[in-house]
Structures are given as structure tokens and as C-alpha cells.
Amino acid sequence: MTTPRASGAPRAPRAIIFDLDGTLVDTVGTRVHSWMAVFPRFGIQPEPAFLAPLMGSDGKLLARMVAEHYGVELRPGDDAQIDIEAGLEFRVLNAQPRALPAARDILESLTDQGLPWAVATSSLPDDARESVQSLGLRAMPLICDGADVEHAKPAPDLLLKAAGLLHVEPEAAWYVGDSRWDMLASRAAGMRAIAVLTGATAEAELRETGADAVYPTLREFMVDILAS
């Protein structure tokens, strides 16, 4: 299942950047329900199975992709409005986000080892902060969220900003995520792309979109990275 190191890749990163939803916190299902609640207001009745793999992308892009798939023409500004309303729904539904297994352990271990790390997520600031708080970390980490850049994933902007704040070159950083958007953003940023199968995207699609390594869970990744 895993491919710990790609040929020619550095043995260890100088920094690790993590996606949030579906990678560190178990919120993909909640995200899907949030979008499902909003799309009917705009004449769209999407299937959850179609929505789930789209989680993690820029919200306006997601709205446009769904509308196009279901043959609905959005009015100017509808994509932004759908994104806003889905965010409001998520805030209500995400009252008690749950950390994924081993998330806290790996992050605290990285801190203890002195390896810089950050979170880069398309989520809005309040949503990102509440989800990160569910990890129970000793201190709030560096978070780059959807409000920090003009273009969220699959654009590389969030990842590049995080690398800059961590004072590392992008090619010296690894990005860990659960979706195709994470892999595409990582490749665009020039980072090594690490995938975990904790979201809604299959291994084959993660590899097709650029994953250098795929792990079933964060725990397996934790064993590898802490041994490197």
C-alpha cells in the first residue's frame, strides 16, 4: 500500500505542511452535508457520492464544477454565494469536530523533534481554527487558510505561503493531504506529495494526480517520517 520514498526524493523533509479536512480532522462527511443543504436552493440536487471527492477544493470552483455537471447555469456571483452559504451550514454542523487517529501524536512528535510544520487549508479562518482546536495540541500552530490567498487549492498559493512562513524552499517541504486537490496543489508548488486514505478519494486517483507516496492512515506515515 505504501511507497515510503520516491526515487531521487530527499530522505527527509525540512518542513511538513498538512491539509486539514479529511487529513487531520474527520470532517469530510460534514462538509458534504453542508454542500448538500445549499445546492437545492440554486436548483441543483447533487449526489453525495459525486460531491465527496470534490471536498478540499476552492469553494467557488467546487460550486461551478457541480453546476456544470448537473447542467445548471449559475448567475454571476452564485458560485461565491453557494460557497458562503455552505460555510455557514458547516459552522453549524461542525460543532464538535473529531481529530483523526494519530493526528495529535504525529504533530506533537514533529514539534518535539524540531521539524517545522504548518496547516494549509482552503477552509475559512473560523472553521479552520475550530477544527484545529479539536486536535488538542499544546499550542495553536501556524495555519494558512482560504482567507490568506486569492486562489485556494488546487492552486499552490496556500502551500507556497505556508512554506514561506516556515522559511523553507517549497522543494524542501512535503505536503500531506487526502484529496486530488491536495496532490495537484503540491505538484504545482514543487513539493513532495504525500497522500493518506482518510478522506473520500481512492488511491488510484491520488496516484494519478501526483502522489509520491500513499498511506492508509496518518499512523503509518508517522512511523515512516519519525524513522527517517
Side-chain angles (χ1 to χ4, degrees):
M1 177 71 72
T2 64
T3 54
R5 297 183 186 92
S7 177
R11 178 176 176 82
R14 289 187 54 207
I16 301 179
I17 302 168
F18 292 88
D19 170 53
L20 184 58
D21 291 315
T23 300
L24 298 177
V25 291
D26 186 16
T27 50
V28 171
T30 307
R31 287 283 182 192
V32 171
H33 283 106
S34 301
W35 289 97
M36 289 289 293
V38 173
F39 275 117
R41 304 170 193 168
F42 295 81
I44 305 171
Q45 300 285 344
E47 294 292 327
F50 177 75
L51 280 179
L54 302 181
M55 296 302 106
S57 66
D58 177 274
K60 295 187 290 295
L61 173 62
L62 189 156
R64 294 193 298 271
M65 287 190 295
V66 172
E68 180 179 358
H69 179 80
Y70 286 94
V72 175
E73 185 174 351
L74 297 177
R75 297 170 301 180
D78 276 355
D79 55 350
Q81 188 60 34
I82 292 171
D83 186 24
I84 290 170
E85 293 186 25
L88 294 174
E89 291 286 346
F90 179 77
R91 210 153 297 156
V92 173
L93 296 175
N94 196 43
Q96 294 182 312
R98 184 173 66 88
L100 283 163
R104 181 182 184 278
D105 291 345
I106 189 171
L107 297 176
E108 295 289 21
S109 294
L110 293 176
T111 298
D112 291 342
Q113 289 200 358
L115 183 61
W117 64 273
V119 173
T121 173
S122 298
S123 297
L124 293 176
D126 289 345
D127 299 336
R129 189 172 186 86
E130 184 155 359
S131 289
V132 168
Q133 285 175 338
S134 73
L135 298 170
L137 301 170
R138 290 172 294 194
M140 186 61 68
L142 172 65
I143 305 171
C144 292
D145 58 54
D148 287 327
V149 295
E150 184 176 354
H151 302 290
K153 293 178 287 186
D157 304 30
L158 279 166
L159 284 63
L160 294 173
K161 184 176 180 65
L165 292 173
L166 291 172
H167 306 292
V168 298
E169 294 298 319
E171 56 269 22
W174 292 6
Y175 187 63
V176 182
D178 68 294
S179 74
R180 69 190 308 267
W181 318 108
D182 297 323
M183 302 302 103
L184 292 170
S186 183
R187 284 302 190 187
M191 297 181 183
R192 187 164 183 235
I194 307 296
V196 287
L197 299 174
T198 48
T201 307
E203 179 177 1
E205 186 172 1
L206 292 167
R207 291 193 183 280
E208 287 170 5
T209 49
D212 290 303
V214 180
Y215 293 86
T217 68
L218 280 172
R219 195 171 299 282
E220 284 82 0
F221 174 62
M222 177 180 176
V223 171
D224 244 19
I225 192 63
L226 295 181
S228 64

